Amino acid sequence: MSTTSTVPATGRTVVPESVGQARRRRSFAVISHPDAGKSTITEALALHAKVLNRAGAVHGKDGRGGTVSDWMDIERERGISITSAALQFTYRDAVINLVDTPGHADFSEDTYRVLSAVDAAVMLVDAAKGLEVQTMKLFEVCKHRNIPIITVINKWDRPGKEALDLMDEIHERTGLQPAPLNWPVGVAGDFRGVLDMATGDYLKFTRTDGGATVAPEDHLSAEEAEGLEGGAWLRAVEESDLIVATGAGHDPEGFLAATSTPVMFGSAVLNFGVRFLLDTLVDLAPAPGARPDADGRPREIDSPFSAFVFKVQAGMDVAHRDRLAFVRVCSGTFERGMVVTHSGTNRPFATKYAQQVMGRERTSIDRAFPGDVVGLVNANALRVGDTLYVERPVTFPPIPSFSPEHFAVARAKDSSRYKQFRRGIEQLDHEGVVQVLRSDLRGDQAPVLAAVGPMQFEVAEHRMAGEFNSPISLDRLGYSLARRTDADGRDRLRGQRAVEVLSRSDGVLLAVFSDRWRLQSVERGLADILLAPLVVSM
Ligand code: G4P
């Protein structure tokens, strides 16, 4: 389907509203190691977009209020964010959707789902620490999805590594060609401003009290900059010339193909470089485009409404204990109250309660466009990966699950609360908090919970006790690897030591193994019964 049509009488081109609105959208997520400054930069972005008057209202560790997504005690205790929300704001003429990702690599699977809802990612790097473990893991997730990445070197106001060394590190560890858009004036710890690589001009930053307001920026010519900053400016010019000489200039095609990453320097806490990031998102990051369906045919953005569920979250509001399904709009226009079809069941689904969720704040959404995130309240039938549409049917490819590496048998501590236990386990399964595996041998009272990272178990335990009133005990099993198999495989593996076949609620059969030697021995002897590995092992 074309995205424009021509009105014969006037020859004017009419752009459908969904297309015009989609072009304005920039949907992205921030990936980083904990403490690199994700919450601070989220707050700073929102501040620049004038959502907030003073920084501190969204962010909130250490008594600074509530973070963007700190519904759960466990998040507060650990200072991590497990649940996710989307922050929407306008900047220039663009509508920015910042989708929150879990900060911890144990929730990579969750991150993977969230990243299916964005068109770009910002990789936030601590200038002193460089690329940390979890940044790398989350980067791998992005790479797997071919998501264009913008790199922000944060905390330049503090002593840190050399800028050129950081470029080498990015290149060596990610394989992406770093393409700096600006270059710092002043070494790490003495941040004065940046040299704009596109114009050669100087963008001088001025500190404000505690960084709590938008930092003033002055645009100066190279001559003025040299007069003002002397050696610090000359060094920036020399280093940026070196970068240009190696051919590491901005490469728009490489960025969109996820082979090159634009890089910029900033300090989230001082609000330095935040406007530059916003401008980069608007100018360079891709707007939503056609999304391929399960058969690979693109669903154009001006097609009738379609969306897919990338996150299901219950218990976000302690007072209501309701369940939200977050969908990303892929085509057409969403209007609250519209009746859509749920592709899994072919049943109609009424969208009376549609919300935007930002921390504890929820506001009703009346209309949404491709790239937007809508929270559908009490969407009990919806599961992660499901598609919703109107008129022309479409099913988007399922969001693949990760290969679990940790396994534990769950049992209700109080067997008289079996009903609550069942309900809770089912809910956690629907949300994808853990994968729930069963077998005839183990029975329904003792399902196996499978996770990519052990912290998922903590969340499961915590929620079973607090939300479903059914505390559980978890007995760890000695398995560490899983492969798909089929009914034949189940029969032939029966009775083998340190191997077990369990079934997932979507019907997939998983053969689980204690270690890679056991797996390799099965692969050698019974290769035909093991199907493709389950996506990535992180
Ligand atoms: P996270 O969400 O990625 O985990 O990180 P968060 O924003 O909470 O930031 C972690 C710490 O790093 C915070 O300090 C924060 O103030 C600080 N920080 C973030 N960006 C910058 C920056 O650009 N420069 C400097 N110098 N610090 C930065 P904290 O000590 O944990 O909290 P606070 O008491 O300082 O608020």
Side-chain angles (χ1 to χ4, degrees):
M1 194 181 286
S2 75
T3 51
T4 55
S5 58
T6 306
V7 179
T10 61
R12 259 191 316 122
T13 302
V14 179
V15 177
E17 188 186 20
S18 57
V19 175
Q21 291 286 355
R23 281 185 192 149
R24 296 175 62 204
R25 263 55 185 180
R26 298 292 181 274
S27 302
F28 77 105
V30 178
I31 56 164
S32 67
H33 193 87
D35 269 355
K38 189 165 70 126
S39 318
T40 312
I41 204 150
T42 302
E43 175 190 333
L45 287 166
L47 171 75
H48 269 74
K50 305 271 190 304
V51 171
L52 307 171
N53 299 326
R54 271 181 79 83
V58 175
H59 184 79
K61 290 189 186 160
D62 309 327
R64 279 177 291 177
T67 57
V68 180
S69 54
D70 66 348
W71 295 278
M72 294 172 62
D73 300 344
I74 196 167
E75 294 186 306
R76 267 192 296 272
E77 283 159 20
R78 296 291 189 104
I80 55 168
S81 136
I82 300 165
T83 48
S84 58
L87 180 67
Q88 186 180 67
F89 52 85
T90 52
Y91 177 72
R92 289 171 27 194
D93 188 39
V95 177
I96 313 266
N97 291 309
L98 169 48
V99 187
D100 192 23
T101 52
H104 198 282
D106 276 13
F107 304 104
S108 298
E109 189 168 18
D110 222 1
T111 303
Y112 192 83
R113 295 182 201 127
V114 170
L115 290 173
S116 67
V118 300
D119 301 308
V122 166
M123 180 165 80
L124 196 62
V125 176
D126 184 321
K129 296 184 177 149
L131 293 168
E132 296 171 87
V133 182
Q134 282 166 36
T135 320
M136 284 307 297
K137 289 197 172 173
L138 297 170
F139 162 76
E140 293 293 339
V141 177
C142 285
K143 196 166 108 183
H144 201 261
R145 297 202 65 91
N146 258 334
I147 293 176
I149 296 177
I150 295 169
T151 302
V152 174
I153 310 283
N154 189 32
K155 304 197 185 183
W156 199 255
D157 58 296
R158 272 209 209 142
K161 299 189 177 188
E162 296 269 338
L164 286 170
D165 291 346
L166 282 163
M167 297 307 105
D168 284 343
E169 189 175 335
I170 291 169
H171 188 46
E172 274 163 28
R173 306 235 353 243
T174 67
L176 297 177
Q177 177 65 52
L181 300 178
N182 65 32
W183 198 256
V185 177
V187 293
D190 177 28
F191 197 13
R192 305 177 191 191
V194 290
L195 185 161
D196 185 334
M197 303 279 285
T199 61
D201 289 345
Y202 179 35
L203 195 58
K204 180 180 176 300
F205 299 135
T206 303
R207 276 177 192 250
T208 59
D209 181 22
T213 53
V214 175
E217 293 172 358
D218 294 309
H219 289 256
L220 304 174
S221 67
E223 294 73 42
E224 289 168 324
E226 189 178 337
L228 194 70
E229 307 294 1
W233 173 257
L234 293 174
R235 177 173 174 168
V237 172
E238 190 196 339
E239 289 184 343
S240 61
D241 282 349
L242 269 176
I243 288 285
V244 173
T246 60
H250 176 54
D251 167 11
E253 277 156 30
F255 166 54
L256 295 181
T259 57
S260 149
T261 176
V263 181
M264 67 198 68
F265 291 78
S267 163
V269 84
L270 297 179
N271 282 305
F272 286 5
V274 177
R275 187 185 304 274
F276 199 100
L277 172 59
L278 279 169
D279 286 329
T280 303
L281 281 165
V282 175
D283 296 335
L284 302 185
R291 183 167 286 251
D293 68 10
D295 298 321
R297 283 176 314 223
R299 176 84 167 188
E300 302 290 346
I301 47 180
D302 63 342
S303 305
F305 168 80
S306 67
F308 69 90
V309 181
F310 66 93
K311 173 94 193 159
V312 173
Q313 182 79 54
M316 287 177 19
D317 182 338
V318 181
H320 298 103
R321 287 275 180 243
D322 54 2
R323 180 176 157 159
L324 264 101
F326 290 100
V327 304
R328 142 125 187 181
V329 180
C330 299
S331 64
T333 302
F334 171 83
E335 311 227 12
R336 187 161 62 85
M338 77 198 295
V339 177
V340 301
T341 305
H342 174 212
S343 75
T345 57
N346 273 331
R347 292 230 177 96
F349 178 84
T351 59
K352 192 168 165 203
Y353 300 106
Q355 298 186 331
Q356 185 183 354
V357 180
M358 179 180 147
R360 293 198 172 86
E361 300 288 312
R362 295 188 186 190
T363 44
S364 224
I365 290 184
D366 290 323
R367 305 181 81 214
F369 300 96
D372 287 347
V373 170
V374 178
L376 296 169
V377 183
N378 282 336
N380 293 333
L382 301 187
R383 293 186 180 211
V384 169
D386 285 357
T387 302
L388 300 175
Y389 64 86
V390 297
E391 295 170 35
R392 205 153 52 80
V394 61
T395 304
F396 292 112
I399 303 176
S401 48
F402 278 30
S403 193
E405 291 169 16
H406 303 269
F407 302 83
V409 178
R411 289 189 186 81
K413 279 192 180 157
D414 176 354
S415 55
S416 70
R417 306 193 74 83
Y418 180 61
K419 225 173 80 191
Q420 287 87 337
F421 172 77
R422 244 181 89 138
R423 203 159 48 84
I425 294 288
E426 191 181 84
Q427 176 64 31
L428 299 183
D429 193 11
H430 281 186
E431 286 181 35
V433 171
V434 283
Q435 295 179 30
V436 178
L437 310 177
R438 296 191 163 82
S439 74
D440 295 345
L441 284 175
R442 291 187 178 275
D444 244 12
Q445 318 245 350
V448 174
L449 308 188
V452 176
M455 219 189 273
Q456 285 174 259
F457 290 147
E458 280 184 49
V459 174
E461 268 183 302
H462 186 87
R463 290 189 55 186
M464 287 298 289
E467 206 175 312
F468 300 102
N469 274 323
S470 172
I472 54 169
S473 63
L474 286 177
D475 293 320
R476 294 294 287 266
L477 295 171
Y479 302 122
S480 63
L481 287 161
R483 287 286 184 277
R484 283 184 67 163
T485 186
D486 54 17
D488 180 34
R490 179 177 50 199
D491 295 342
R492 287 164 65 190
L493 285 171
R494 192 159 283 150
Q496 291 227 12
R497 228 167 46 79
V499 181
E500 186 174 345
V501 176
L502 298 157
S503 93
R504 226 164 52 181
S505 52
D506 59 0
V508 167
L509 291 179
L510 293 189
V512 295
F513 303 87
S514 55
D515 50 60
R516 87 190 141 82
W517 291 278
R518 184 67 51 183
L519 168 63
Q520 280 164 359
S521 111
V522 171
E523 274 173 340
R524 275 196 300 274
L526 300 165
D528 57 315
I529 62 166
L530 294 182
L531 309 177
L534 297 147
V535 198
V536 260
S537 292
M538 297 305 293

